[in-house]
Amino acid sequence: MRISTNMMFESGSTRLSEMQSSLAKVQDQISTGRRILTPADDPVAAAQALVVSQSKSANEQFAINRQNAAASLSLEESVLQSVTSLLQDVKTLVVQAGNPALDGKQRQFIATELAGIRDEMLSLANSRDGAGNYLFSGFQTNVQPFAQTATGAQYNGDQGQRMAQVGSARKMPVSDTGAAIFESAKTGNGTFVTGANPANTGTGVASTGSIANAAALTGNNYSVTFTTVPGSAPTYAVVNTTTGATLSAATPYVSGETITFDGIQFDIKGSPANGDQFTVRPSGNQSVFTSMTELVNLLNAPVNSPADQARLSMGLAAANNNAGNALDNVLTVRASVGIRLKEMETLDSQGEDVGLQYAQQLEELQGLDYTKAITELSKQKIMLEAAQQSFVKTSNLSLFNFL
């Protein structure tokens, strides 16, 4: 076999290139800290590393989602804390307005202060986040949730609750609607509401009442009508206005004595006039802005007679009840927000642990044994240097040297 000079140079050059490539690969492994630079280095481990890397990226995205969700919930909690303080102020002012020593002018001062609180609460209900989105308008984040009206405020948002994927198997609400916060407070005692006919002329005042027997409740409407005949004790009749049935007729009236029927109990104090009527109806949801507007109107109304004083007393009792129910509703939402924030902290801790596990798995699959790599680097260098020196000597050999 004839070995030409060209073949010898090509063979030597190819071998040196291979060795330089091997040396460069080891250098790249050391610089990156990774054993697998291409899938060809270890196809099985490369495939497993790809799966783990995707899971790790998803876990990191969940962490970002949780961060954004926590910021949104924290902002909502801050707004609701302010709403809570305002509702507590409302209850204080309602109690203050019930002081019999106050005159009409002083009650109007309180009404003015309450109107300011109502406007401030409306502003809080229309709060925005840092991106300019409304907090409490449901899915319609670009729509102002509340618009003031003569009777309170109108809700223009929807019932949507925005969700965020905060874990592989957990979607969490990151918002609450204005309807749920400001329009879901129950009236009365939460089961039924007592009221007085605006045409009453006596001094009777009905209490809020309570449940005597939950199993006997019907959810119907009732009326309690008084009959007062000179020379006779006043009596009252209870009628189920939903069915038209008379539950009791000509029952003697004693101020402060409990009136009980169909699982309902309450009392009426004072001296109702002939024909005065009180009503009982099931509790419903009422906007806090409607309740406050009614309260402002009540305090601005003149009190010129004992009947007016009775209406004021009963109206203030209802307003205090409504404010308390609205406060309880806001506190319930705040508790829900707090629970979600607490869960977010737990998910963050779990996410960090999972992230460490993914990082450890990737290190096991792709990580480089530096001792072994450095030894291999030294070996490759020595081999390359030896090959280069041999090639130099071999390339200088020629038959002409022996002539």
Side-chain angles (χ1 to χ4, degrees):
M1 179 179 178
R2 297 178 61 188
I3 300 176
S4 66
T5 302
N6 184 52
M7 179 184 298
M8 182 179 64
F9 272 88
E10 285 183 355
S11 175
S13 175
T14 299
R15 179 58 181 156
L16 289 176
S17 296
E18 290 175 353
M19 297 181 70
Q20 286 176 337
S21 296
S22 298
L23 179 62
K25 179 180 178 181
V26 176
Q27 290 174 331
D28 287 342
Q29 287 176 329
I30 293 175
S31 64
T32 60
R34 296 175 58 183
R35 178 177 64 86
I36 302 175
L37 299 177
T38 65
D41 295 336
D42 190 338
V44 175
Q48 293 176 342
L50 178 60
V51 174
V52 175
S53 296
Q54 291 174 338
S55 299
K56 184 172 180 290
S57 297
N59 186 61
E60 291 171 351
Q61 184 59 55
F62 291 146
I64 295 173
N65 292 353
R66 287 193 295 271
Q67 183 179 0
N68 295 335
S72 180
L73 289 173
S74 297
L75 180 57
E76 179 180 344
E77 160 61 20
S78 177
V79 173
L80 294 182
Q81 183 178 6
S82 300
V83 172
T84 299
S85 298
L86 291 178
L87 287 173
Q88 290 170 338
D89 292 342
V90 170
K91 287 180 65 67
T92 300
L93 290 172
V94 169
V95 174
Q96 182 182 343
N99 186 345
L102 298 181
D103 58 22
K105 198 70 175 176
Q106 291 169 320
R107 283 192 295 272
Q108 287 178 0
F109 291 153
I110 296 176
T112 300
E113 186 173 354
L114 286 167
I117 291 176
R118 177 195 59 198
D119 294 343
E120 184 177 353
M121 194 177 302
L122 185 62
S123 176
L124 290 171
N126 289 327
S127 296
R128 299 172 183 253
D129 61 17
N133 298 318
Y134 289 103
L135 292 180
F136 305 118
S137 59
F139 293 140
Q140 303 183 57
T141 56
N142 60 337
V143 175
Q144 180 176 300
F146 289 96
Q148 190 166 5
T149 64
T151 58
Q154 177 180 343
Y155 180 61
N156 297 315
D158 57 33
Q159 304 301 318
Q161 197 172 29
R162 297 191 296 278
M163 310 289 286
Q165 189 78 39
V166 295
S168 59
R170 179 67 169 108
K171 275 189 176 181
M172 181 178 291
V174 295
S175 69
D176 293 280
T177 67
I181 298 170
F182 300 99
E183 296 195 323
S184 297
K186 291 291 184 181
T187 54
N189 58 23
T191 303
F192 62 88
V193 184
T194 58
N197 191 321
N200 287 356
T201 58
T203 61
V205 176
S207 67
T208 301
S210 59
I211 300 172
N213 181 4
L217 294 173
T218 64
N220 293 338
N221 296 323
Y222 302 88
S223 67
V224 179
T225 305
F226 283 83
T227 300
T228 303
V229 178
S232 300
T235 61
Y236 64 86
V238 179
V239 176
N240 184 327
T241 56
T242 300
T243 64
T246 299
L247 305 184
S248 66
T251 303
Y253 166 70
V254 178
S255 178
E257 188 175 87
T258 301
I259 300 172
T260 305
F261 54 86
D262 286 355
I264 293 170
Q265 65 179 16
F266 64 99
D267 64 72
I268 298 175
K269 295 179 181 179
S271 302
N274 187 51
D276 281 2
Q277 189 177 78
F278 295 85
T279 60
V280 179
R281 67 181 188 277
S283 294
N285 293 339
Q286 179 166 293
S287 168
V288 63
F289 303 112
T290 299
S291 298
M292 293 193 65
T293 299
E294 291 177 351
L295 176 57
V296 170
N297 294 338
L298 176 69
L299 294 178
N300 282 325
V303 178
N304 299 321
S305 67
D308 291 339
Q309 184 62 51
R311 277 192 291 273
L312 175 64
S313 297
M314 196 163 176
L316 288 175
N320 189 49
N321 238 16
N322 290 339
N325 292 340
L327 178 59
D328 289 343
N329 186 63
V330 171
L331 290 176
T332 299
V333 176
R334 286 186 66 187
S336 172
V337 172
I339 290 171
R340 281 175 270 172
L341 285 170
K342 180 64 177 177
E343 183 181 354
M344 209 85 69
E345 293 178 2
T346 302
L347 290 173
D348 274 336
S349 178
Q350 294 175 351
E352 290 175 0
D353 292 340
V354 171
L356 289 175
Q357 292 175 9
Y358 287 147
Q360 184 177 356
Q361 291 177 17
L362 285 174
E363 180 62 26
E364 291 173 356
L365 292 169
Q366 297 179 322
L368 182 68
D369 183 342
Y370 279 95
T371 301
K372 183 177 179 181
I374 292 173
T375 301
E376 181 67 17
L377 178 65
S378 299
K379 176 179 137 181
Q380 293 286 350
K381 282 183 177 180
I382 292 172
M383 290 174 61
L384 178 61
E385 290 172 358
Q388 288 173 336
Q389 292 175 3
S390 298
F391 179 73
V392 170
K393 292 180 179 180
T394 304
S395 61
N396 287 330
L397 293 179
S398 171
L399 291 176
F400 291 103
N401 294 334
F402 299 96
L403 294 178

